[in-house]
Amino acid sequence: MRGSNDRDRVAFDEFVAARSGALLRSAWLLTGDHHLAEDLVQHALMQVARHWERISTSPEAYARRTMHHQHISLWRKRRFTETSWGSHDAAQPATDPDLRLSVTEALARLTPKQRAVLVLRFFEDLTEAQSAAVLGVSVGTVKSSTRQALSRLRVLAPDLADLVGVES
Amino acid sequence: MNRLESVLEELAHDAPRPTPHPELWDRGRRLRRRDRVVRGGLVLVMVLLVGGLASFVTARPALVAPAGDVAPDGAIPSRIEDPGSDLEPETDLATGGASVAFVSTSGTAVVIGATDGRYHALDLPGFSADDPGVVALSPDGYHLAWSTQERVDSVDLRTGEVVGLVPHGGHGADVTELAWTYDSARITYQGTFDGQAVAGSIEPTGPSEVEIPVERTLATGLSSPTRGIVALPTGSDRTFARFERVARPAEQAQKDLRSDEGVPLRRQLPPDLYPGGASTRPLGWATGSLVVAQADGPSGSYVEGQHLVLFTSPDRPESEWTFRILVRDLPDATPVSIAVDLVPDLDGTSSQQLTHDFASHDAGLPAGVRWGGTALAALGVLLAAYLLRRREQRRPGRLTA
């Protein structure tokens, strides 16, 4: 059981100062939109404050789970056509030599779950089991979603064919 | 680190700089306080619904009048139900004046309070549930008589005092019928002794007994207060109620039971109510010309089954004849006994309420209403449980896509 309200508040403030940057970077990769990313992180941090006494794992793990959960909920409400990065489903010709733009555009065309597993596995460097725990799905689902995400990246941006290689 | 990781790392540098809202902690705590209030409310709703659901389904209609629902002068209840074995027999017989008495299906003597409609199961001395005798309530509702093996006893329901005797001159009798005289002063009985029919009239306060020749109609009927008319029981499917005019005034006839004169009279039952006839059993005289009887309408009657009726004796002019249904759906198991003095004087209107609905908002809900309410309550419980579960599931850790 955590301490008094003042100690809890201090601990919370320290956590926010230390980890909100990392959370915001993940949120940015998930959404591709500054405002959406900030909203996602603010919401996650407020939920951490709301359930501070009941968090048995680390606050950061709780915040990441909240963020991913909220991201998928928001995506369901707004649907794919409203994301800021466009909605084409077909593979785009690699006209832009800038690889970052290609990856950006390709990421935008993944499903929220596929994007989430890529961010968790390849940006946050979590294992399949850790990623499954964050997303609340099975390890098998993480594996299949990762495979689907990488295959889709190859289809959408053929230049990425040598980018992903073998799954780590 | 593979190239995808490198690219993602570089992309992440484009993320905005964090600017956490200074009131994050306060907002989160306010939500927490709200969660507690909502959770407590949902739990309370579930508890109330479960409790209400359980009592609604399992509880029999209460056989107790709601607080404050009384008839100060006493009244016949508009519904009479058999409590079966639900009531605990009471040893304190001073329950106050009663309006109805009968033997329940569990073999217990039951009285209904005249002013409050409350049901009492009475632990009458010598009265056996395994071999129950008969009970009879005096017209004024203050005395209850009952038969046991070879005895007739009565209790003053105001005081609980019990008096009685062994009928048939102390020899005893297997009593099968009991009835009170119109003035609540004497009890008449019918029965058998050594296979022979016997009858008598008991003054319970004495006690004393006058034997009645069984062939006299006074042995089997109820004498009216003033006009020398005796109401008699009929068999099934009769189109009339039986009466007999005694040759002498009732008071003299009570004292001198040797007269065997009598003129049969008939009171036609309403053919629209009983196209195939009915059986009637007089229970008492509400007035000098109004009889309360227990009728049994066969299938096809307007009122089928056992019910209470009030009708004019046949010695009155036809212009004065009336026929009213007092209480429907009497318990099938036993004849009832009524404190007929509680029937109000007729005011000549068909809308006059002759009985009192003591438990109008507590007992006797239609089965459809009870089960419909039960289903709604069950849905409410499920909804509350679902909302609680949804609130728990909204906590992170469960993602579906």
Side-chain angles (χ1 to χ4, degrees):
Chain A
M1 186 92 179
R2 299 186 188 275
S4 67
N5 190 56
D6 288 341
R7 284 200 299 274
D8 290 341
R9 182 172 194 148
V10 168
F12 174 78
D13 290 341
E14 288 174 353
F15 159 71
V16 170
R19 301 306 301 162
S20 58
L23 291 171
L24 195 53
R25 286 191 289 277
S26 295
W28 159 248
L29 289 175
L30 283 176
T31 62
D33 181 276
H34 281 197
H35 297 297
L36 285 176
E38 285 173 346
D39 288 345
L40 212 59
V41 171
Q42 297 278 16
H43 173 81
L45 291 176
M46 196 163 61
Q47 296 302 311
V48 169
R50 184 179 186 177
H51 300 292
W52 185 258
E53 293 88 351
R54 302 172 67 179
I55 295 175
S56 56
T57 57
S58 72
E60 181 167 356
Y62 189 94
R64 289 188 183 280
R65 284 199 300 272
T66 303
M67 216 164 57
H68 285 283
H69 181 87
Q70 180 69 4
H71 172 236
I72 291 180
S73 296
L74 287 175
W75 178 82
R76 282 207 193 109
K77 288 177 186 175
R78 299 199 325 271
R79 300 190 184 273
F80 187 70
T81 55
E82 296 180 32
T83 55
S84 59
W85 285 352
S87 60
H88 276 291
D89 206 31
Q92 300 296 312
T95 56
D96 189 344
D98 187 337
L99 190 61
R100 287 176 59 191
L101 285 178
S102 296
V103 172
T104 302
E105 289 167 352
L107 282 175
R109 286 157 178 77
L110 298 178
T111 68
K113 188 192 285 185
Q114 291 169 350
R115 195 150 67 230
V117 295
L118 287 188
V119 170
L120 288 167
R121 295 278 287 115
F122 298 103
F123 175 70
E124 298 181 14
D125 203 27
L126 301 184
T127 64
E128 289 172 344
Q130 290 168 334
S131 302
V134 169
L135 295 175
V137 299
S138 66
V139 172
T141 301
V142 169
K143 287 183 178 178
S144 60
S145 297
T146 305
R147 201 163 39 244
Q148 290 161 9
L150 294 176
S151 297
R152 193 154 176 80
L153 281 183
R154 291 192 197 97
V155 168
L156 294 173
D159 284 356
L160 294 174
D162 63 342
L163 188 65
V164 295
V166 177
E167 293 176 20
S168 62
Chain B
M1 181 184 289
N2 62 34
R3 291 194 65 190
L4 180 57
E5 292 170 355
S6 303
V7 170
L8 290 176
E9 191 69 37
E10 283 188 39
L11 274 178
H13 291 319
D14 292 337
R17 294 179 63 79
T19 53
H21 198 286
E23 292 182 7
L24 272 178
W25 176 257
D26 294 329
R27 288 183 183 180
R29 305 314 284 175
R30 277 198 294 272
L31 287 175
R32 174 176 168 75
R33 285 191 291 273
R34 190 189 70 180
D35 288 346
R36 284 176 167 172
V37 171
V38 171
R39 189 178 295 115
L42 285 174
V43 169
L44 181 62
V45 166
M46 286 183 66
V47 168
L48 290 175
L49 284 173
V50 169
L53 179 67
S55 63
F56 195 72
V57 173
T58 61
R60 289 173 57 87
L63 297 177
V64 173
D69 190 4
V70 296
D73 299 326
I76 308 297
S78 57
R79 280 192 297 274
I80 300 172
E81 298 170 347
D82 185 350
S85 56
D86 286 354
L87 294 179
E88 194 66 28
E90 303 172 31
T91 53
D92 181 4
L93 304 183
T95 58
S99 57
V100 180
F102 58 94
V103 178
S104 71
T105 51
S106 63
T108 309
V110 175
V111 296
I112 302 177
T115 58
D116 58 8
R118 186 183 293 265
Y119 284 62
H120 301 271
L122 300 182
D123 186 9
L124 301 175
F127 198 86
S128 170
D130 296 328
D131 185 20
V134 294
V135 298
L137 188 64
S138 60
D140 61 10
Y142 294 129
H143 295 85
L144 179 70
W146 71 93
S147 65
T148 58
Q149 286 190 348
E150 301 188 349
R151 280 187 66 85
V152 174
D153 292 287
S154 74
V155 58
D156 187 331
L157 295 173
R158 292 166 294 190
T159 63
E161 181 185 0
V162 177
V163 294
L165 54 68
V166 178
H168 190 47
H171 299 294
D174 183 12
V175 174
T176 57
E177 295 281 346
L178 284 177
W180 288 82
T181 55
Y182 63 88
D183 55 1
S184 300
R186 302 185 70 89
I187 306 166
T188 58
Y189 71 87
Q190 300 171 58
T192 59
F193 176 74
D194 278 350
Q196 300 294 318
V198 293
S201 173
I202 299 171
E203 183 184 355
T205 57
S208 66
E209 179 185 5
V210 175
E211 295 218 27
I212 305 173
V214 294
E215 61 274 12
R216 289 291 297 119
T217 53
L218 286 174
T220 57
L222 295 178
S223 176
S224 73
T226 57
R227 297 185 182 276
I229 300 291
V230 177
L232 298 166
T234 63
S236 302
D237 304 337
R238 295 296 184 98
T239 60
F240 53 86
R242 290 177 57 214
F243 291 81
E244 187 172 295
R245 189 199 309 278
V246 295
R248 300 167 185 246
E251 185 177 349
Q252 259 187 301
Q254 291 261 351
K255 294 178 180 177
D256 181 357
L257 300 172
R258 293 169 296 176
S259 169
D260 57 3
E261 294 180 20
V263 178
L265 297 175
R266 292 181 175 186
R267 168 64 161 96
Q268 292 294 325
L269 299 177
D272 54 338
L273 297 182
Y274 312 103
S279 67
T280 56
R281 173 176 168 271
L283 301 180
W285 290 81
T287 67
S289 58
L290 286 173
V291 174
V292 177
Q294 182 166 348
D296 186 6
S299 176
S301 305
Y302 179 78
V303 186
E304 294 183 4
Q306 302 282 345
H307 54 285
L308 290 182
V309 295
L310 175 75
F311 55 87
T312 321
S313 59
D315 61 313
R316 302 305 302 156
E318 194 166 330
S319 60
E320 292 181 16
W321 285 11
T322 189
F323 193 97
R324 299 282 299 273
I325 298 171
L326 294 178
V327 180
R328 296 170 182 258
D329 302 323
L330 294 177
D332 280 333
T334 179
V336 298
S337 180
I338 302 293
V340 294
D341 289 355
L342 297 179
V343 177
D345 294 335
L346 296 183
D347 62 10
T349 65
S350 59
S351 60
Q352 181 186 9
Q353 293 295 316
L354 302 179
T355 59
H356 185 76
D357 190 0
F358 285 97
S360 60
H361 60 269
D362 199 24
L365 286 173
V369 172
R370 288 168 61 83
W371 284 106
T374 302
L376 280 176
L379 280 175
V381 170
L382 292 173
L383 178 63
Y386 171 71
L387 289 174
L388 262 180
R389 183 174 167 79
R390 272 287 299 265
R391 291 187 68 83
E392 292 301 320
Q393 284 185 336
R394 277 187 192 149
R395 293 171 59 198
R398 299 282 302 272
L399 282 178
T400 57

